[in-house]
Amino acid sequence: MDHSAHHTGTAHDHATHDGHEGHEGHADHGGHAHGGASWGTAAKATLHCLTGCAIGEILGMVIGTALLWGNVPTMVLAIALAFLFGYSFTLFAVRRAGLDVKTAIKVALAADTVSIAVMELVDNAIIALTPGAMDAHLSDGLFWSALLGGFAVAFLITTPLNKWMIERGKGHAVVHAYH
């Protein structure tokens, strides 16, 4: 499929964008999409974002815990790395598509900021509210169950948000203009 019409820097309607793998569930493929965003598309966008967030957050938790930092500096590092890795996944993808660095950064920020922020808010709130999780060590099952449970809940909350944003040409929809 010729994507040259999509390289204008604006998002496009996914319902008219047949032929992209991973965009299953469009209205013309049996989905319940309104405005072109299927639940499958939203879930895939959320998983993409969650992968970067999870890598950054786990790395931050491991580093902070290994360095015997307190809860606050460890969470700050984990959140910062979650944003860094979350943005980097999109940044590298759109750079491979030929965007210059400045434009790629703008696309990554537009595509992922809300999604990452909501995921981090939900995930860290669950960790903070789980009794004992903040004081658990890396070898404790409580540490990992709170962290992974937080990711699961964050995914469930963020997916409908991403669907809503994609339907409006925001969030992850911005990335599709470049591939």
Side-chain angles (χ1 to χ4, degrees), residues 1-88:
M1 174 177 215
D2 179 16
H3 293 297
S4 60
H6 298 300
H7 291 269
T8 62
T10 60
H12 60 278
D13 181 358
H14 287 251
T16 62
H17 193 64
D18 293 328
H20 253 353
E21 292 179 350
H23 292 241
E24 65 281 2
H26 289 300
D28 57 334
H29 295 287
H32 297 14
H34 299 286
S38 71
W39 284 105
T41 299
K44 186 174 180 181
T46 305
L47 281 173
H48 177 267
C49 197
L50 182 62
T51 302
C53 288
I55 291 169
E57 189 158 335
I58 291 169
L59 184 60
M61 294 284 189
V62 168
I63 292 169
T65 302
L67 295 176
L68 303 176
W69 289 0
N71 291 337
V72 173
T74 298
M75 283 193 111
V76 168
L77 177 63
I79 292 168
L81 290 177
F83 272 91
L84 178 70
F85 278 85
Y87 286 138
S88 69

Side-chain angles (χ1 to χ4, degrees), residues 101-169:
V101 173
K102 184 178 177 181
T103 303
I105 290 170
K106 287 180 183 180
V107 168
L109 291 173
D112 295 334
T113 299
V114 172
S115 184
I116 294 171
V118 170
M119 278 193 259
E120 286 304 299
L121 178 68
V122 171
D123 180 52
N124 284 288
I126 288 172
I127 293 168
L129 295 173
T130 301
M134 292 295 292
D135 297 319
H137 296 281
L138 296 175
S139 59
D140 292 339
L142 179 60
F143 171 86
W144 294 103
S145 63
L147 185 64
L148 298 176
F151 289 148
V153 173
F155 174 81
L156 293 174
I157 290 173
T158 308
T159 299
L161 173 65
N162 280 334
K163 182 179 186 307
W164 181 83
M165 289 179 18
I166 292 167
E167 288 172 346
R168 283 147 188 81

